[in-house]
């Protein structure tokens, strides 16, 4: 079955950078699209970026600061986060959907989620 494992979270100062990774296993990676989400305490879950064969998309809150990429051979997506702000502090999750497209997809339609990795910016 599909498993997603995030890594790379941690604590960083305002203006700093982190790179999160999401390793996919258990099925044919090319059949899935991947989204990244975050949730801070007391706040709604926010979709921040998605990647599929049609490209990458970003929430306005992270556009120009975050970059989502993938290493298809390694079945891994990377979320490079630059110029981090305190409001970026949250638990970050990757999720996979058995579909070529993640564009505009309700988060409830992602079938697989990682365990999350904490990002703290202060």
């Amino acid at each position: 079955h599909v498993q997603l494992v995030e890594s790379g979270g941690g604590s960083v100062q305002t203006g700093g950078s982190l790179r999160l990774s999401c390793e996919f296993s258990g099925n044919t990676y090319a059949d899935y699209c991947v989204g990244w989400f975050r949730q801070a305490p007391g706040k709604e879950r926010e979709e921040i970026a998605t990647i599929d064969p049609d490209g990458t998309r970003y929430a306005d809150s992270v556009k120009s600061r975050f970059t989502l990429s993938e290493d298809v051979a390694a079945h891994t997506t990377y979320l490079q986060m630059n110029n981090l702000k305190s409001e970026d502090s949250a638990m970050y999750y990757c999720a996979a959907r058995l579909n070529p497209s993640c564009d505009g997809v309700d988060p409830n339609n992602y079938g697989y989620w990682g365990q999350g990795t904490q990002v703290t910016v202060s």
Side-chain angles (χ1 to χ4, degrees):
H1 63 283
V2 172
Q3 287 189 306
L4 300 168
V5 178
E6 299 102 334
S7 60
S11 296
V12 65
Q13 292 186 331
T14 300
S17 298
L18 283 173
R19 189 177 81 155
L20 307 183
S21 300
C22 172
E23 184 174 1
F24 173 104
S25 64
N27 214 316
T28 303
Y29 178 74
D31 291 340
Y32 292 75
C33 59
V34 174
W36 279 85
F37 300 79
R38 67 185 180 187
Q39 188 165 23
K43 294 191 176 181
E44 295 283 323
R45 180 173 53 190
E46 178 187 15
E47 177 188 289
I48 54 175
T50 63
I51 188 165
D52 61 38
D54 289 334
T56 53
R57 302 160 202 89
Y58 301 93
D60 288 342
S61 59
V62 305
K63 201 173 291 184
S64 80
R65 299 187 299 122
F66 290 12
T67 302
L68 180 57
S69 61
E70 66 178 350
D71 181 337
V72 175
H75 299 175
T76 300
T77 61
Y78 302 97
L79 186 66
Q80 176 67 43
M81 307 186 297
N82 297 328
N83 190 21
L84 284 161
K85 307 175 182 180
S86 58
E87 52 263 43
D88 295 317
S89 295
M91 186 72 80
Y92 283 68
Y93 301 89
C94 64
R97 177 176 184 242
L98 179 56
N99 193 282
S101 176
C102 279
D103 188 11
V105 172
D106 187 311
N108 292 321
N109 289 329
Y110 285 79
Y112 305 94
W113 291 80
Q115 82 288 352
T117 186
Q118 179 68 41
V119 171
T120 303
V121 185
S122 61

